Amino acid sequence: MIRRNFPLLRLTPEAAGKLQHDYDRAIARLAQLEREHTELQNQIRTQCGAETLWKLRTDTRNAVLLVDLKKEAA
């Protein structure tokens, strides 16, 4: 097995603080999006039915995979 030594990343205190701030903001935004997504799913399930939610999820997943496949083929 080949072992590679990766250089240690050294940041100035200002850069480390900015990186931590950006990370905290990204994690907070991700948590907010997850809460909104869950509530959206609950409302779709309530108003349109579980089968409609299942079909939307499947169609969305397939659309995303198709875009990825087109990018890979290009």
Side-chain angles (χ1 to χ4, degrees):
M1 178 185 295
I2 299 174
R3 293 187 182 200
R4 296 182 180 161
N5 292 331
F6 294 100
L8 183 63
L9 178 64
R10 296 191 188 273
L11 298 174
T12 64
E14 294 81 15
K18 182 180 180 329
L19 183 63
Q20 182 67 45
H21 175 72
D22 292 346
Y23 173 80
D24 291 341
R25 286 185 60 198
I27 293 297
R29 179 70 175 137
L30 182 60
Q32 178 187 0
L33 288 172
E34 287 175 350
R35 287 179 36 223
E36 291 173 1
H37 180 258
T38 301
E39 182 56 31
L40 179 63
Q41 284 185 336
N42 291 338
Q43 290 197 15
I44 292 171
R45 186 179 295 117
T46 301
Q47 295 177 12
C48 300
E51 187 173 317
T52 302
L53 178 61
W54 180 80
K55 182 167 178 9
L56 281 171
R57 283 182 187 162
T58 303
D59 293 346
T60 303
R61 188 176 305 120
N62 288 340
V64 169
L65 289 172
L66 181 61
V67 168
D68 290 347
L69 185 62
K70 286 180 180 179
K71 283 182 182 176
E72 188 176 314

